[in-house]
Amino acid sequence: QVQLVESGGGLVQAGGSLRLSCVASGRSSSSRAMGWFRQAPGKDRDFVAAINWNGYITHYGDSVKGRFTISRSNALNTVYLQMNSLKPEDTAVYYCAASSSSNWVGRVDYWGQGTQVTVSS
């Protein structure tokens, strides 16, 4: 079992930055690929970014490439999402995700509870 707790969401103006954090606890947390998804009201949950177990390989959704950066600290069991140049369309609940795989293959086995990010125009 893995528990994921997100933090760092909030209200920011367009063009601003936020950093989300996700602390993982439980079995083999540091050996799992991790990711971030987001869901806006009335829309599907979309992939944002993912990182493999050692941080060497990252993946990004097209809408966030060049603006968001995913990273991790296995010493702290924490995954980060640095979000720059935020746009109103980035407004959503952001969810941390953990895989049972060491490399990201698109499978999510655990979800966090989500953190709200609101970008004002």
Side-chain angles (χ1 to χ4, degrees):
Q1 190 73 9
V2 175
Q3 293 79 41
L4 305 172
V5 179
E6 304 99 330
S7 63
L11 174 64
V12 64
Q13 288 189 332
S17 298
L18 280 175
R19 188 177 80 157
L20 305 183
S21 299
C22 171
V23 178
S25 59
R27 185 177 180 184
S28 304
S29 298
S30 62
S31 63
R32 298 177 184 272
M34 302 288 291
W36 289 95
F37 288 72
R38 67 186 182 186
Q39 187 168 20
K43 295 189 177 181
D44 293 336
R45 189 170 297 188
D46 291 332
F47 171 75
V48 175
I51 190 166
N52 77 328
W53 72 277
N54 60 7
Y56 288 175
I57 301 174
T58 57
H59 309 270
Y60 294 95
D62 288 342
S63 62
V64 306
K65 283 180 182 177
R67 299 189 298 123
F68 290 11
T69 303
I70 189 170
S71 61
R72 67 189 296 162
S73 167
N74 284 343
L76 298 177
N77 288 327
T78 302
V79 176
Y80 305 97
L81 185 68
Q82 178 67 44
M83 305 185 295
N84 298 329
S85 302
L86 282 161
K87 305 174 182 180
E89 51 264 43
D90 294 317
T91 295
V93 177
Y94 283 70
Y95 295 92
C96 182
S99 173
S100 59
S101 302
S102 297
N103 295 305
W104 184 257
V105 295
R107 170 177 167 170
V108 177
D109 294 284
Y110 302 96
W111 293 99
Q113 84 287 352
T115 185
Q116 176 70 46
V117 171
T118 302
V119 184
S120 63
S121 58

